[in-house]
Amino acid sequence: MPNHEKPSLVPEMEQKQGCDITNIPQAIFAKNIRPPAMEVKLPKADERLNTTPQLAACLCLLKHSQLLEDMLDPPARKWLQAIGKDTDEQDRLKALATNVVRAFQREEIKDNKVVAEVVCLAPILEKSDFQYLLRELCKGIDQSILLDVHLLDGVAQLIPCAEPGYLDADDLVKILELLSTRLRATHAQSSNHMYQLTMAVSRVLDAMADTKVTGLDREKLHEPLTLYLSETKDISDPYLVYQAAYAYQALLYIPDDETLWQATLRRTGKVMQGVAGLVSAVKGLDLNGFMDGLKDIQQGVSGAIGAFKLAKSTVDGVTSLSEGGKDFVDCMKAGLGVKRKLTWYPALRGAESLLRSGQLANFKRLVCEAPCRIDPAFQWGVCQLLGEIAADSTWDQKTRQSAVMFLGEIYSDRTVWESHANVREWILVILVKLSASTESDMQEAANGLITDLELRADTLERTYIQACRQKDHTMYPLRRASSMTASPSLIDRAQNRPDVEGHLRQLRRLHLTQQGTAVYIPP
């Protein structure tokens, strides 16, 4: 085993961090694209709306008209010019959003489709409606016998959309206390169930890390979840340990003075939610500014110390991971309970933001140039993001297949990626999941890559790959885009209420139109 005590450790680590982007085949994420979005038809004044995303798009255009003006497609610009002058229609749309939230409250079975439908209104809700919806979601989490993951996802999607003054410090503390209580109550359940719950909690913590709330008591905020996450040190499952380590890093970034990486991340996407199908170009994350933010973390005093310790543990892990993978779990566990922020967490948040906004070429650059590129936690998270894109049928086929090819590059090119044994296993697990897809194109792409990896492997690794094929592909599910196909939907129920004023306005418009075509006959 090589001697890792030599003084050149840190310089060597710095040299290994960079990756020439040309090592990635050009066909993989060659350019930035427009992300998938639900196309919406903007309604005429007082016209019945068909979907809740349609309502969200209307109100988002009205709320952010000046910011979006240069990015709108011509039909959206024309609609905004007309409705922007019609205060009655604006009031009707706002009242309809309130009624959708009330319809959600009356819904007896709040399944994932209903939650996905109501939270799409989050960016445009007034303060009272926002707080009412948040209370309803938290009440569902608190009162359910079996903790519903989709309710946690709803909270995670709602929190980042809070306008200044919508949330205070006490709100976040109470939410974390609730999550801690429910997690500890389900601690004895299966590893797969705990994995899903911890991943959902991670998304809530992500949302809190992005929210600028002042007056937070760091110790009071961290205490509820820190003990639970620290208890995962007794678990040997790498999938669950990674999710716990990710959640713990998210917790460390709550609260914090807003750094450059957080500011760019927060500004990206909040306004764009709900109108992606109406704009001609989506302005995503400022990659250069984001990379500067990552460098600030690395160059800070605590960041520099953490980088050195992480560098040593990572280099130590590279050797032993090839032998058994044990150090990956040990490395993740070592970070639990130690209050030191690591760069891989914000790097993954930025990578996700780029990927979700369609900045595929920028995502590839970030993955190759991030200062934590060879950190096993960063690689694990990147593979998870790629798997989620490949599994998401809303993306085009070329993008999904590029995601599969990217996974193959990380697995195969160990001179560049130094991919760890647990990371390679995670890639194989993802590919096995994709090979079980009901879509023939994705099945073919995933199976083709697994077969190619087998052909190039030695006998020992081929046996390892075949063993991964036999794993239960339902374990450790990948996150997929929520579907809103419930019938009848919340907006249908919200519009079933008699709208007398709306009908009167329609009659008035008809009357004015008829007056405009009348012929005056003098007496």
Side-chain angles (χ1 to χ4, degrees), residues 513-522:
T513 302
Q514 291 173 342
Q515 278 189 330
T517 58
V519 177
Y520 175 69
I521 301 176

Side-chain angles (χ1 to χ4, degrees), residues 25 51 67 96 113 150 156 205 232 237 254 260 280 283 288 306 344 351 451-452 493 503:
T51 66
L67 181 61
L96 186 53
K113 294 177 181 179
H150 56 271
L205 296 174
T232 58
D237 185 334
I254 312 166
L260 181 56
S280 54
K283 297 179 181 179
N288 291 329
W344 61 261
T451 301
D452 182 59
R493 292 168 219 179
H503 290 313

